[in-house]
Amino acid sequence: MDASPTRSGISDLAMSTENRILLYPAFTERERLIDELARAVWYFEPIRDVTPKIYVLVRGLPITTAEVDAMLGDFAAVMPAYFDSEIAEWAKRWTGRIEVHPDPDGNLESSWSVPGTSIILCWELQTPERYDDIMKIGERCGIIYTFASVTKNIGEAANRARIVHERLRPERKSAIYEAAPKVLQKLKEDFAGREVYVYGSGPSVSQVIDAKFDFGDGCHIVCNSLIKNDELMDIVRPKIVVCADPVFHAGPSEYAAEFRRTLNRFLHKHDAHVVTLVDYVATICSALDESHWDRVIGVSQGDMPEDNLNLIDNQTVRPTENILTLLMLPLAMTLTDKISILGCDGRSFVQDSYFWKHDTKSQFGDLMEGAKLTHPAFFKRDFNDYYIAHCQVLERLFVSGERAGKRIRMITPSYLPPLAKRYEAVI
Amino acid sequence: MFDDQFLLAAIEGRFPIRQVTILSLRPEDDFEPFTKRGWRVVSAGIMLAVETDLAARGIEVAAGNIDNLGSPVVIGDFAAFSDDRRQYLVSRTPEVVKVNFVSSVIDGGAFLKTADPDLNKSGMLDMVGLFRQLGYTCFGSTWYRDDVEPGVALLDGTNDVSLFPFNLLAVKDPSIGHSMKLVGEIYAGQSRDAAMENAKLIGKLDRKIKERDKYIMMLEDAMLALQPSDKIKIGS
């Protein structure tokens, strides 16, 4: 179960711009406390200036507020290696803000009565029934809550980022929403009449370099860790980088950190914009140089009766689980009528141990195990269910685009039927 | 837990009062088989692992303390057997007392022994000693075959430590323990048969999947043949 943060009967506390966050339930083990503190330091950085307190409940764990403060002062000594190494430095900024409270009886309502709590982050849950209890009490007390168990909630990373976005200072949040249509309008003018090349990070993408294909005056949209492939980036000089994964791009793992460092370097070198979901703009920006912030824009996910092919008028996309269908194609179809897709090899249906096959030059493969340790629930999925769902969404989106007069073609081979049947041998 | 249901099978029809007193409750405990068969499940000063709506789970909260309830069966986690409750056992000697030392995890599917055996071993020996002194016969409900198959064994004084961790079952009438053991053996036999049947079905499914994969790969080869490229080799 992955409930989004839900509010009902918002209290004055929740309406306040200040956040007092309670990590629920009580910690009984030091390792889990350290793990959750690392996540809190990472996720809450964009709202640190409006978060005077994070409350930590403990039961049977002998640790005091002063000891937590001391730990934050030298967090590198205790933090697991799979986290972004930067977190150890950021942890110092939270000294004096983490408050330990004993929770002797495990009673929900008394746990939540820590004075001034406005947000509950449920980092673990023992039983499914407790979801209901938490929702009822949260709604009755007017407290914002989110479910974020790293072992049980497949969407925990997205839920954490979402609540941070919701609690940004109003002026910062408004600026994020206002930036997207302006930037997209400008990009549409730049892209007018030109072919748009949309890149996946499949194994064939590096071969495009040797193929010496003439892209003419085409514009290029790349995604995810493809930016690591310097040789390809120098050739195609992308105008847009799309990334919207709560784990690999906006999460606290060293994998995601390496992606953000690469993105930072990329933005210094290339005149490009970053398009992501609004929920991740602040978290991703917190790891980028401030001079890049105005080049990162976000669109929202929401219920839409049809695929949105005009993100300038309405910056909302239908939720899907793949970057191509979530953002790259809606964006490409917003900007132009001529779309060529490359590097979306997919994989054979029978090789079902992971999402897709990737180009090794465009991955942070050596850090993948750390990402799995950081987000164990995220990787517990049936990759063939994902494959089938992706093919269905892809075909629907192509049909929507083609009905709207878009010419969509695949110019490198693919295992995925909706792409394979649109193949044109131009390379 | 599974052994509460074995216990129900062994005690049904034996006592004039069909009532169980429970001293503790974990999320995985299930007394519905008792209540569905008309047993009263009552609590007295209950110890809860997490906040629980007792009424929703068919458990009555009794007025007074354990002394007034007069249940022939008492069940609770080891930690719930405080000194005054042990005193109750000495004075009232209920027909059956079950002391839980182990629990099953919710997520794992199979029963897992989650108790710390070293931590509770001396406590177990104290309890077994007390019950034997009071004339009870002791059994242990434990797990066999990689912890997936439950069973019940007589504790004869020589195997108390080697079988631990287990849930301790102290009975005045040894035939109750032997009945539980029999139910356990029948259950284990059925479980083994079911496991073999499952293994056969899984084998059959694996063969079908391989067959399906063969056809999928042929279709994929055909699809790739329709995407000719001299310069781009897929998946390499």
Side-chain angles (χ1 to χ4, degrees):
Chain A
M1 178 176 175
D2 276 306
S4 300
T6 309
R7 335 165 136 182
S8 178
I10 296 293
S11 67
D12 291 345
L13 285 170
M15 288 295 284
S16 159
T17 51
E18 278 204 348
N19 305 301
R20 293 171 188 271
I21 302 164
L22 174 71
L23 305 185
Y24 176 86
F27 292 92
T28 57
E29 296 168 6
R30 187 180 164 85
E31 290 71 25
R32 291 303 301 268
L33 172 62
I34 291 168
D35 182 281
E36 278 300 324
L37 286 177
R39 292 172 201 274
V41 166
W42 160 249
Y43 281 106
F44 298 143
E45 173 63 20
I47 54 172
R48 183 169 48 85
D49 60 338
V50 281
T51 305
K53 287 289 174 203
I54 295 176
Y55 302 123
V56 167
L57 299 171
V58 292
R59 191 182 327 138
L61 179 64
I63 193 161
T64 63
T65 299
E67 284 163 342
V68 167
D69 262 353
M71 199 159 70
L72 292 170
D74 186 18
F75 209 49
V78 294
M79 188 179 76
Y82 49 78
F83 282 123
D84 178 351
S85 52
E86 194 75 14
I87 289 173
E89 200 51 40
W90 291 10
K92 294 184 179 111
R93 302 171 185 170
W94 289 89
T95 51
R97 295 181 191 227
I98 314 280
E99 215 171 87
V100 176
H101 288 257
D103 177 47
D105 59 2
N107 180 286
L108 263 176
E109 294 210 44
S110 63
S111 296
W112 289 24
S113 62
V114 177
T117 296
S118 56
I119 298 173
I120 308 278
L121 188 144
C122 300
W123 62 271
E124 192 53 286
L125 289 162
Q126 290 92 2
T127 64
E129 299 88 67
R130 187 138 289 206
Y131 283 106
D132 294 337
D133 295 342
I134 286 166
M135 285 193 270
K136 278 181 205 154
I137 296 172
E139 284 167 18
R140 197 170 66 239
C141 302
I143 294 173
I144 297 170
Y145 56 87
T146 193
F147 296 115
S149 161
V150 294
T151 55
K152 297 191 180 78
N153 296 119
I154 196 169
E156 57 87 18
N159 288 351
R160 288 170 196 256
R162 186 176 305 125
I163 210 157
V164 169
H165 171 72
E166 289 192 5
R167 301 301 295 174
L168 289 173
R169 279 184 185 281
E171 58 272 24
R172 174 100 195 264
K173 203 151 70 164
S174 299
I176 290 172
Y177 286 112
E178 285 164 13
K182 289 178 192 162
V183 170
L184 290 170
Q185 180 60 46
K186 173 74 173 57
L187 286 167
K188 188 176 172 75
E189 287 158 16
D190 293 346
F191 279 46
R194 296 158 80 175
E195 183 86 27
V196 168
Y197 293 92
V198 174
Y199 291 73
S201 55
S204 68
V205 77
S206 278
Q207 299 172 48
V208 171
I209 299 168
D210 296 331
K212 300 195 187 322
F213 179 67
D214 179 9
F215 292 103
D217 67 348
C219 294
H220 301 262
I221 301 176
V222 300
C223 70
N224 303 348
S225 52
L226 203 55
I227 54 170
K228 177 175 179 264
N229 192 329
D230 288 330
E231 193 182 0
L232 182 65
M233 294 304 100
D234 286 345
I235 292 170
V236 303
R237 308 194 67 78
K239 286 297 198 190
I240 300 175
V241 178
V242 179
C243 57
D245 193 290
V247 165
F248 297 123
H249 309 133
S253 69
E254 183 59 15
Y255 182 107
E258 189 55 31
F259 167 78
R260 293 185 291 264
R261 285 180 209 120
T262 309
L263 182 62
N264 207 33
R265 285 195 299 272
F266 173 90
L267 291 173
H268 276 294
K269 193 171 175 185
H270 296 280
D271 176 22
H273 280 87
V274 178
V275 181
T276 184
L277 293 174
V278 282
D279 292 345
Y280 310 143
V281 171
T283 44
I284 289 175
C285 281
S286 63
L288 301 179
D289 294 344
E290 202 168 337
S291 58
H292 298 326
W293 287 13
D294 61 353
R295 292 156 69 192
V296 182
I297 62 165
V299 300
S300 305
Q301 285 186 104
D303 290 334
M304 300 283 286
E306 291 180 0
D307 293 308
N308 185 358
L309 310 183
N310 184 346
L311 293 172
I312 296 169
D313 288 351
N314 179 351
Q315 296 79 50
T316 305
V317 291
R318 292 172 102 173
T320 77
E321 285 203 81
N322 181 278
I323 192 67
L324 183 65
T325 50
L326 178 72
L327 283 179
M328 294 184 90
L329 287 172
L331 188 59
M333 290 196 261
T334 296
L335 302 179
T336 184
D337 293 334
K338 294 184 288 184
I339 296 150
S340 291
I341 304 168
L342 309 81
C344 294
D345 301 38
R347 61 167 166 81
S348 172
F349 189 78
V350 302
Q351 292 166 350
D352 58 358
S353 60
Y354 195 59
F355 294 97
W356 311 115
K357 287 189 89 173
H358 291 286
D359 175 38
T360 50
K361 287 183 193 167
S362 310
Q363 285 290 297
F364 306 105
D366 52 333
L367 297 172
M368 184 57 79
E369 286 309 308
K372 289 178 182 174
L373 290 170
T374 315
H375 305 278
F378 177 81
F379 293 91
K380 286 183 199 164
R381 61 172 87 211
D382 184 315
F383 293 109
N384 274 347
D385 286 351
Y386 174 87
Y387 183 112
I388 291 166
H390 177 56
C391 286
Q392 288 169 341
V393 174
L394 200 51
E395 180 64 25
R396 186 199 72 207
L397 196 50
F398 284 154
V399 170
S400 297
E402 285 158 354
R403 280 187 186 149
K406 311 288 179 188
R407 194 270 284 133
I408 304 165
R409 63 181 184 174
M410 180 72 190
I411 59 172
T412 57
S414 177
Y415 279 106
L416 300 174
L419 292 167
K421 73 183 190 190
R422 289 172 174 83
Y423 178 74
E424 279 185 30
V426 296
I427 299 184
Chain B
M1 275 184 287
F2 78 98
D3 50 3
D4 292 323
Q5 296 178 32
F6 292 0
L7 176 63
L8 172 62
I11 60 177
E12 188 63 290
R14 285 183 184 253
F15 311 124
I17 304 172
R18 300 170 82 216
Q19 183 172 294
V20 178
T21 294
I22 59 168
L23 305 178
S24 58
L25 188 71
R26 301 182 210 190
E28 67 268 30
D29 290 338
D30 179 14
F31 289 101
E32 199 177 71
F34 284 83
T35 54
K36 271 192 172 167
R37 296 186 66 83
W39 285 71
R40 281 182 78 205
V41 179
V42 295
S43 64
I46 197 161
M47 192 176 83
L48 296 173
V50 294
E51 188 190 18
T52 305
D53 181 350
L54 294 174
R57 294 176 65 174
I59 296 163
E60 295 176 37
V61 180
N65 59 32
I66 187 171
D67 292 282
N68 305 326
L69 299 176
S71 298
V73 182
V74 175
I75 299 174
D77 287 350
F78 169 63
F81 283 89
S82 53
D83 286 347
D84 58 330
R85 280 168 175 168
R86 290 185 197 207
Q87 199 51 50
Y88 164 81
L89 299 177
V90 172
S91 61
R92 298 295 178 98
T93 60
E95 294 293 329
V96 177
V97 183
K98 183 162 161 280
V99 185
N100 294 329
F101 285 91
V102 294
S103 69
S104 54
V105 294
I106 302 169
D107 290 339
F111 295 113
L112 293 180
K113 297 170 185 175
T114 57
D116 181 337
D118 292 329
L119 192 70
N120 285 321
K121 204 174 282 174
S122 63
M124 177 275 291
L125 290 171
D126 285 349
M127 291 297 277
V128 170
L130 171 67
F131 284 122
R132 286 194 178 126
Q133 214 173 5
L134 294 170
Y136 285 85
T137 304
C138 294
F139 291 80
S141 349
T142 185
W143 289 258
Y144 303 109
R145 209 161 61 87
D146 297 332
D147 287 351
V148 296
E149 191 172 281
V152 179
L154 175 70
L155 301 178
D156 58 12
T158 63
N159 61 357
D160 301 355
V161 171
S162 62
L163 277 180
F164 196 71
F166 49 64
N167 288 337
L168 173 61
L169 182 82
V171 286
K172 276 186 178 169
D173 176 355
S175 70
I176 292 176
H178 289 297
S179 295
M180 257 184 92
K181 187 168 180 292
L182 178 64
V183 173
E185 284 164 4
I186 293 168
Y187 181 95
Q190 287 176 343
S191 160
R192 267 193 297 272
D193 290 347
M196 281 176 69
E197 189 56 31
N198 282 345
K200 275 187 209 162
L201 288 171
I202 288 168
K204 205 171 163 184
L205 184 64
D206 281 345
R207 285 193 295 280
K208 292 279 183 197
I209 287 173
K210 277 187 186 141
E211 199 175 334
R212 180 205 66 172
D213 287 352
K214 196 174 79 184
Y215 283 103
I216 288 174
M217 285 191 283
M218 284 164 64
L219 287 167
E220 286 175 345
D221 286 346
M223 192 166 68
L224 293 179
L226 293 172
Q227 302 175 77
S229 175
D230 295 336
K231 295 177 179 167
I232 308 288
K233 297 286 168 244
I234 192 166
S236 56

